[in-house]
Structures are given as structure tokens and as C-alpha cells.
């Protein structure tokens, strides 16, 4: 870089000041930075960067020799002519900007003819003028003043400096404005060189517009909610129109900021199957069949950073909670995101021992513990005074009484072909089959032994192969099935009743599966050698009822029940998805769609195996406890208890000899224990209930509160921060904006900028669309303003003749819908004026819609004898009008340029009065 670059001073070394300093140093200037914060200056001198801004540290380091830091403004004054002011101008309580820091800087600068202030701080329009007045009053008239507003966005400030969308320089003449332009010249950005007030206004109007855009899409979001439209689709559709642009159209969306840690689990429903899975697993499973959102434009429309991957899952629902509803429900996930992360993760723990880890900017739904009113706070704002919602019971999807599950998928899961499965149909069916005509049997028994021999086999043994049964169209689901290996036979369907779920519960607590050398599967329940005879009996009886032989074997340390069958193995591990050992146990996916009765049956089996009940200090309070070493099972049981309306606490600990954490779930409080009484072995139930009934005063279980039918609220007990490097995940549920973690903790799923929108979205009904009302009102007022302008020049309009140039709502169309000429001509007629008009193409349309207009055949014909002319549509031929001719045709001399499209000088040169809109 050239060394001849102008040195500058920067007053205020915050985001704007430091980035400006680093940027100009990069371009070759020596930069003299001043701040009143001595500690900050000290750190900057030591090479530390007090703020986090990507790329800033490197840029400052690269240019260290050109950067000078001081607390004394004299250092800057001595070395530089231009003093960039970048001090804070925060809003005051009244909403005005607090300009005290700006005034402090102005006061600190002595009179000088050689210096100029370059205002980077955002100041109200008019500040430049008033500061120049202050200069005058203090004998500092020689100071130059330039308005050079800043548009950088934190997070991309360095890039924004180097590649600005535009540079705005406002001054009132003099050397300083040119010097600032010269400084920015190497960036080759579009330059808006204007007066001070306009430059100030560019910044304020830009901010207002962006705010309007956001409010606008937020209002659209509110209306979408009312109408069932999807605001993301709407915003995407809108944003792809380049007149609108995708940026700042992110209402209620914009994930990709705050995220969940990868191992957090949620309940997911896909293709009719419910599974408890981690975010990481969800990504893996959903990715292959999902649409990936690729284009930068679309990514931006989704509010995602460029390192964020976004999937649009084709079918994915998660358990979510709609505020004001008592029960959680499944809602579709619109997008799933993943991004690399290296930073702090906050683990939010509740008194009930639940926890959930999110990034610090993740929004949480919080309550105050006194009502079910909720608010939103970011994770880093949470305190142990906050309460978080725990999702309550989920309405059970009751299966039909006596529903049976066909074993087809178990056969597949066991890796068996139809030829390997042997079918034993009821006797009459076999008799019927072997008596069928030979031609028919030939098509069924394609076995190499030949049709006659095969018919004989089947008749003798009463059994055939599944492929034969299928070809014979036999109702094989009603038969017993087995395999050639000497395993057990089982019915073609299994009843999904409570007795099955009890046995599954006992298996989750006490069971394991092993694969034998001959290919069969051994499913084994190991009970206490003497104390659990009733459970041994229960399992044996269950299988016997299904026609399956289960062997009970006494071993020195246990009493085992064993079922050996490839088919049942396929059902057990493949269809139900049960684990092979205590480390890998998990709840069957099917569980999530069953009724309460089945859920309680499974839980009671689990508790009989690994749970216990006890009296607290001998009574009258009782607690129910259960432990497991499987993380996935613990998550699932926690959620399952939530489903049946029990709030358990969770503790993780490691016993002395174990290498793996044990999860302990605990149910306490009289009401809870009563509700969960099925978890107490039948023979002890009445005792426990009588003991609890003795409690004179029921003590509410500590740690959570419930208001009405709403969710339970748990108090935050601890907030742990830890460093995390890896992928973090997020998802968006459009309707509720919440997701229920498997532990029941419910958080919001949006990013922080939408917090306000979210607040609005929550619980609004009969929505009043304020912004749009205002936009329409502003638009209407704009039309009336033309009338006001005419009246200003002509007085009362009765008897006056007004010429309208153009009628269509915009040039090059004949579309008259919403055209302002309709309102205008009606108002003029109502006021007693006569209206003439000319439009090159819209006349025909206009004739249908309005009366009271004299249609002219040319512009000059229209303006003939007019007191005033109004340009309504900026057709090219109007812009090229000869205003001398217009002036001589008119009776009066007023031209209102409703589009700011005419050349004011040309109009005025013809002796006419020119009036535009807002200029
Ligand atoms: P900031 O609070 O980060 O920095 C302001 C700095 O000015 C602080 O270091 C403070 O110690 C210093 N300061 C205060 N009074 C001083 C004085 N009398 N003399 C010297 N130093 C003084 O603020 P910021 O975010 O950099 O914003 C600065 C201005 O730029 C504001 O007007 C803001 O509205 C505007 N702006 C900010 C951004 C942005 O994204 N941060 C973008 C565009 C415009």
C-alpha cells in the first residue's frame, strides 16, 4: 500500500471505531485511536482485541505498526486532520439518541482550521447542523464537519468495511469531504456524495426500512398463523423477487444460529414410526432422503450462516409443545440444520435432575414459578430463578383391542427367505390343500422332489414351506411358523397386549439375547435364583400361550427362562428393536404409539426387574426408584413416564466397581406414587397405598409445579458452561417453535432475533394487522397529499380544471387496479373540480372504472386550460414533454410531479411552479 495515505484519528474504539481503524490501516493510513476507557487502550496497546469480530484481530495485528492507541485526543490532533467519531449513541429512555459522548468529543476539540470531525456514530438528522452551530458559538468555526454514516454489521464487520454496499459522504463543501472520499477510494464502492442532512437521513431511513421489512414479515407471519399459510414459504417466495430481496425477511425462522448439542434426544415420528433419537442420529437418518438447501440465496432466506447445512426433510415430525395446550403433540419439522461449532455450550439442569445442552444464544421458554405465563430468554440469560416447562402426558394413540402384529417383518429382520420358513396351518387347511386338483398343486409344489412326493410330505407332516403357502394362497398368518433349525414354533401374528409389554419390560430389566452357532437366536431372562419364581412363571406362561416352548433353567446364580427361535429373535431385536445386553437396551419404537395400559404394563415389568419402592424414614412417604446403565433406555423411560403423566427426577452416578454411569429415576410425592402404583409389585400395593394415605398433609414433591392442566414447570438448579467443539444441530417447527427433549424439557427452537416475533406469535388471536394498516394508511394519505398541494396553490378546487397525465398504476401497462388516479379523480370531482386526463394505453380500462373524466387525445390536449397538471404515471412521453408548450396551453401554472420523475429545472424554466413529493 502507498505510504502517502492520509493519516486519520478515530475517537472511540468500539465495534465501529476499531473496524474503521483497522480497515484504514490496512489501506495504508496511520491511524491514531483515542478512547476514554484507559483499560481498553491498555489492552489494545498490548495487542489484545477487546471485542470479538471475525478477522479483526488478524487485521489489527497485520497493521500494528500503523495503529496507535491513546487516551489523549491531542495525539490524534497532532498527527491527523480527519477525526472519525465512533463513540456510542445509545437510545435514552425517551427513545432519543444519547449524544452526550458526541458532545464530549466536540468539547474536547480545540478551535482549529486544520481539523474536521467525520461523524460515524449514528445521530439524529439535524445533528450535523446543530454541531456546526455549536462550533460557531464556541469560536470553532474553522472545524470541518462530514457526515459519514456506518452500515457495518457485527459479525461480518471486517468484510463490510472492505466491501461496502455504498459509502455515504455528506458535507457542506470544503476540503474534508473530498479527503474522506479519497480515503474510501481504494474500496471502489458506490459513493453517495450529498449534503449532511441527507447523509444522516440515509442511515436513519435505512434502519427504519429494515425495521419495517422485519415488522412487515412479522406481521405476515402473524397472518400466516391465522390462515394456515407457512411464512417460510411465503418469505422464500417473496425474497426471490429481486425487488424485495431475501434479506430481512426472516420472521419466526432463522435457525442456524442457536443450536442443540448433538447427543440431546427427542421423540421423532417418521413414516408412521416413532423413535427416540439424538439430533446426530436424526441428521444421519434424514439426510439421504432429504432435499438439501444449496443456493446461497435460499440459505440466506432461511437466515442460515454459510457454514450451516440445511435439510428440508421430506417427512419428519418431532414432539413439540404448543403454548396454552396441556399436552405435547407431534408437529412437522420444516428444516433441520447442522453447523460446525467451537465455543461454549450451556448445560441447563433442573432441580428434577433433567438437563439439556444448547448454545448460549439458544432461546428457552421460561416461567416465573408462580403461574403458567411464559416468556423467552436466551440460555446465557437464564438464572436459577427461572422455571422451564416439562412436557406433560401425551394423548395415547390407543391400539385396537386385541390388535395383532403379523410376523412378516420379523421374518425379514431375521434374514430368512420364504423357503426357510416352515408353516404349520390348521389341520383342515392342509387336508384341503393336498386334495386340490393336480394342475393346481403343480403350480404350488415346485420343489425338485416333484409334485406327488411333495404332496405326500405335506400330508404326512402337516407342514409346508412359506413360499408354497403363499403360492397356495393359504391364510398363513393364522398358522404356526418355524424354521428348519430346531427352534420354537410361533403364531404368524403376535398380540400386542399388556402381557407382551410386561414380558418386554422384564426383558429390558433382566434380559439379553445371543446368537447361537446354528443361526438361531436365544432370548434369555435371568431372574433371582429363588425370590422371583412368579416372574419365571409369568414369562414361561406368556410364551406357552403363544404356542412357544420357553425353557426354565436353574443356574447357580440365577433362574433363567430361554426362548430359542430365529423368528422370535427377528421380532425381538429387529422389529421391536430391543437391545442385546443391558448396555444397549432401549424402548421399542412401537411403545410411543401405544395406549396408557400398555405403557404401564411395560413400566411395571421394568420396575419388577430393576426397580424398587421404599418408605422414606419408615413412612408415611414412599418413593419409587429404578436404575439402568443404558443411556438410551434412561432417556426413553423418562419420556415414557412423562407420557403417562409422571414427573420423575433423574440422577446420574457411578457405582464403585462399574465402568459406566448408572441413571437413577425417582418418583416421589404422594400423588405421583399413587398414580404410579402399578410400578409396585401387586402384592405390596395395598400396603404402600395405606401408608401414603396416613399422610396428614400432602407435601408437594419438590422441584416442580403445575398450574391447571398446563405442563409442569421445573426450576433451574444449575447452569454449567463447557467448551464444545463439533457439530451442533437445530430444527424448526413452524407452528409451535418449540421442541420437547426426551427428558421432557421444552425449549424454543428459533434464533434470538426472532424472540420478539415469537412473543407476538405466542397466544395471539384475532390479530390486528397494525403495520399493514399503517402502510395502507400511509399510501392513502400520500394520495390525499396531492389534493393538499393543489389546494395550497389554487385555494378551493371548485370550478378549477385539473389535468392528469397518466392513469395507469405504473408505466407500460394498462392495469388500473389500485391506480392512484382512481382515488384522485374521485376526490377532485367531489371537490367540484373538472378533470381531464390522458394515458397512452390505459384509457379504455379507465373508462370502465371512472366517470367524470374528460379523456384527452394527447398530453397537450389534456393540459389545455388546466389550472394545474398532475403527473400520475411516469410514461416516457410525459418526461419528454415540451414544457414551454405545456405552459402556453395551461390556464394556470402549477405542476405537481406525483412520481418525482420530471426535471424540475425544465418545468421551472417554462415559468411553471414545480412541486414534487418530498423534495
Ligand atoms: P461501542 O460502545 O462498541 O464503542 C464506543 C466506544 O466509544 C467505547 O469504547 C467508549 O469507551 C468510547 N467512548 C465513549 N465516549 C468517548 C469519548 N468521549 N472519547 C473517546 N471515546 C469515547 O459502540 P459501537 O457499536 O462501535 O457504535 C458506535 C457508533 O456507531 C454508535 O453511534 C452506533 O449507533 C454506530 N453504529 C454501530 C454499528 C454496530 O453494528 N455496532 C453499526 C453502525 C453504526
Amino acid at each position: 500500500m502507498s505510504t502517502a495515505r492520509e493519516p486519520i484519528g478515530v475517537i472511540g474504539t468500539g465495534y465501529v471505531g476499531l473496524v474503521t481503524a483497522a480497515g484504514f490501516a490496512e489501506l495504508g493510513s496511520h491511524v491514531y485511536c483515542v478512547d476514554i476507557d484507559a483499560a481498553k487502550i491498555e489492552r489494545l496497546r498490548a495487542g489484545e482485541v477487546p471485542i470479538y469480530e471475525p478477522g479483526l484481530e488478524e487485521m489489527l495485528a497485520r497493521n500494528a505498526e500503523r495503529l496507535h492507541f491513546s487516551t489523549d485526543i491531542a495525539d490524534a490532533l497532532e498527527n491527523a486532520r480527519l477525526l472519525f467519531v465512533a463513540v456510542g449513541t445509545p437510545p435514552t429512555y425517551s427513545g432519543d439518541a444519547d449524544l452526550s459522548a458526541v458532545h464530549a468529543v466536540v468539547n474536547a476539540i480545540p478551535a482549529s482550521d486544520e481539523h474536521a470531525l467525520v461523524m460515524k456514530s449514528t445521530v439524529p438528522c439535524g445533528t450535523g447542523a446543530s454541531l456546526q452551530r455549536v462550533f460557531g458559538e464556541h469560536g470553532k468555526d474553522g472545524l470541518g464537519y462530514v457526515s459519514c454514516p456506518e452500515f457495518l454489521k457485527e459479525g461480518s464487520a471486517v468484510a463490510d468495511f472492505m466491501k461496502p454496499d455504498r459509502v455515504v459522504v455528506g458535507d457542506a463543501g470544503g476540503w474534508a469531504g473530498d479527503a474522506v472520499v479519497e480515503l474510501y477510494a481504494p474500496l471502489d464502492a458506490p459513493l453517495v456524495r450529498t449534503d449532511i442532512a441527507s447523509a444522516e437521513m440515509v442511515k436513519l431511513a435505512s434502519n427504519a426500512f429494515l425495521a419495517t421489512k422485519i415488522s412487515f414479515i412479522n406481521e405476515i407471519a402473524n397472518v400466516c398463523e391465522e390462515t394456515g399459510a407457512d411464512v417460510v414459504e411465503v418469505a422464500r417466495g417473496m425474497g426471490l423477487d429481486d425487488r424485495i430481496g431475501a434479506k430481512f425477511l426472516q420472521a419466526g425462522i432463522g435457525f442456524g444460529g442457536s443450536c442443540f448439542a448433538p447427543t440431546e434426544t427427542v421423540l421423532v415420528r417418521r413414516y408412521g414410526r416413532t423413535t427416540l433419537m439424538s439430533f446426530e442420529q436424526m441428521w444421519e437418518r434424514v439426510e439421504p432422503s432429504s432435499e438439501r438447501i444449496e443456493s446461497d440465496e435460499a440459505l440466506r432466506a432461511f437466515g442460515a450462516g454459510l457454514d450451516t447445512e440445511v435439510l428440508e426433510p421430506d417427512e419428519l415430525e418431532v414432539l413439540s409443545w404448543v403454548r396454552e395446550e396441556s399436552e405435547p403433540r407431534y408437529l412437522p419439522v420444516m428444516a433441520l440444520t447442522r453447523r460446525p461449532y467451537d465455543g461454549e455450550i450451556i448445560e441447563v439442569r433442573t432441580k428434577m435432575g433433567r438437563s439439556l445442552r444448547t448454545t448460549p444464544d439458544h432461546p428457552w421458554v421460561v416461567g416465573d414459578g408462580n403461574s403458567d405465563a411464559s416468556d423467552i430468554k436466551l440460555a446465557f440469560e437464564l438464572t436459577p430463578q427461572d422455571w422451564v416447562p416439562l412436557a406433560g402426558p401425551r394423548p395415547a394413540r390407543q391400539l385396537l383391542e386385541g390388535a395383532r402384529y403379523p410376523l412378516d417383518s420379523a421374518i425379514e429382520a431375521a434374514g430368512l427367505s420364504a423357503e426357510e420358513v416352515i408353516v404349520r396351518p390348521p389341520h383342515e387347511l392342509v387336508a384341503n390343500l393336498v386334495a386340490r386338483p393336480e394342475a393346481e398343486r403343480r403350480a404350488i409344489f415346485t420343489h425338485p422332489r416333484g409334485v406327488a412326493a411333495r404332496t405326500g410330505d405335506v400330508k404326512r407332516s402337516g407342514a409346508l414351506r412359506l413360499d408354497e403357502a403363499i403360492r397356495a394362497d393359504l391364510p398363513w398368518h393364522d398358522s404356526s411358523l418355524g424354521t428348519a433349525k430346531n427352534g420354537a414354533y410361533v403364531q404368524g401374528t403376535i398380540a400386542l397386549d399388556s402381557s407382551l409389554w410386561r414380558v418386554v419390560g422384564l426383558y429390558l430389566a433382566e434380559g439379553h439375547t445371543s446368537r447361537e452357532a446354528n443361526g438361531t437366536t436365544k432370548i434369555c431372562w435371568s431372574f433371582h435364583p429363588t425370590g422371583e419364581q412368579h416372574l419365571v412363571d409369568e414369562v414361561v406362561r406368556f410364551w406357552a400361550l403363544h404356542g412357544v416352548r420357553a425353557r426354565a433353567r436353574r443356574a447357580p446364580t440365577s433362574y433363567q427362562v430361554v426362548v430359542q427361535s430365529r423368528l422370535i429373535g427377528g421380532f425381538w431385536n429387529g422389529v421391536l428393536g430391543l437391545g442385546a445386553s443391558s448396555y444397549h437396551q432401549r424402548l421399542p419404537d412401537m411403545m410411543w404409539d401405544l395406549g396408557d395400559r400398555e405403557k404401564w404394563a411395560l413400566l411395571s415389568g421394568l420396575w419388577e426387574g430393576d426397580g424398587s419402592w421404599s418408605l422414606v424414614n419408615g413412612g408415611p412417604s414412599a418413593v419409587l426408584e429404578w436404575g439402568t446403565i443404558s443411556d438410551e433406555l434412561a432417556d426413553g423411560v423418562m419420556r415414557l413416564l412423562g407420557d403417562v403423566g409422571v414427573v420423575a427426577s433423574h440422577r446420574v452416578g457411578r457405582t464403585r466397581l462399574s465402568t459406566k454411569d448408572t441413571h437413577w429415576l425417582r418418583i416421589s410425592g404422594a400423588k405421583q406414587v399413587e398414580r404410579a402404583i402399578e410400578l409396585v409389585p401387586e402384592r405390596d400395593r395395598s400396603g404402600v397405598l395405606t401408608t401414603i394415605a396416613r399422610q396428614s398433609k400432602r407435601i408437594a414433591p419438590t422441584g416442580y409445579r403445575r398450574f391447571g392442566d398446563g405442563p409442569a414447570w421445573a426450576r433451574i438448579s444449575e447452569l454449567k458452561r463447557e467448551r464444545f467443539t463439533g457439530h451442533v444441530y437445530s430444527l424448526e417447527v413452524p407452528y409451535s417453535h418449540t421442541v420437547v427433549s426426551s427428558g421432557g424439557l421444552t425449549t424454543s427452537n428459533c434464533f434470538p432475533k426472532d424472540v420478539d416475533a415469537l412473543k407476538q406469535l405466542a397466544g395471539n388471536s384475532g390479530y390486528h394487522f397494525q403495520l399493514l394498516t399503517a402502510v395502507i394508511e400511509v399510501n392513502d394519505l400520500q394520495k390525499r397529499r396531492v389534493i393538499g398541494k393543489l389546494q395550497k396553490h389554487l385555494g378551493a378546487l371548485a370550478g378549477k380544471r385539473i389535468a392528469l397525465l397518466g392513469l395507469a398504476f405504473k408505466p407500460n401497462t394498462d392495469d388500473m387496479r389500485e391506480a392512484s388516479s382512481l382515488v384522485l379523480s374521485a376526490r377532485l370531482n367531489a371537490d367540484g373540480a373538472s378533470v381531464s386526463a390522458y394515458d397512452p394505453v390505459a384509457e379504455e380500462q379507465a373508462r370502465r372504472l371512472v366517470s367524470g373524466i374528460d379523456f384527452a387525445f394527447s398530453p397537450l390536449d389534456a393540459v389545455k386550460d388546466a389550472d394545474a397538471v398532475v403527473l400520475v404515471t411516469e410514461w416516457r412521453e410525459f418526461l419528454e414533454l415540451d414544457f414551454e408548450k405545456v405552459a402556453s396551453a395551461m390556464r394556470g401554472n402549477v405542476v405537481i410531479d406525483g412520481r418525482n420523475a420530471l426535471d424540475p429545472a425544465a418545468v421551472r424554466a417554462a415559468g411553471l411552479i414545480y412541486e414534487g413529493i418530498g423534495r
Side-chain angles (χ1 to χ4, degrees), residues 12-34:
T13 55
Y15 282 93
V16 171
L18 265 188
V19 171
T20 305
F24 282 124
E26 177 95 353
L27 295 179
S29 291
H30 275 266
V31 182
Y32 296 83
C33 303
V34 181

Side-chain angles (χ1 to χ4, degrees), residues 332 475 830 889 891 897:
R891 182 164 70 199
D897 183 3

Side-chain angles (χ1 to χ4, degrees), residues 11-12 14-16 35-36 40 86-89 101 121-122 150 152 154:
I11 321 284
Y15 282 93
V16 171
D35 203 294
I36 46 167
K40 199 180 239 186
V87 297
T89 51
S121 295
T122 304
E150 183 53 63
L152 63 77
E154 285 170 29

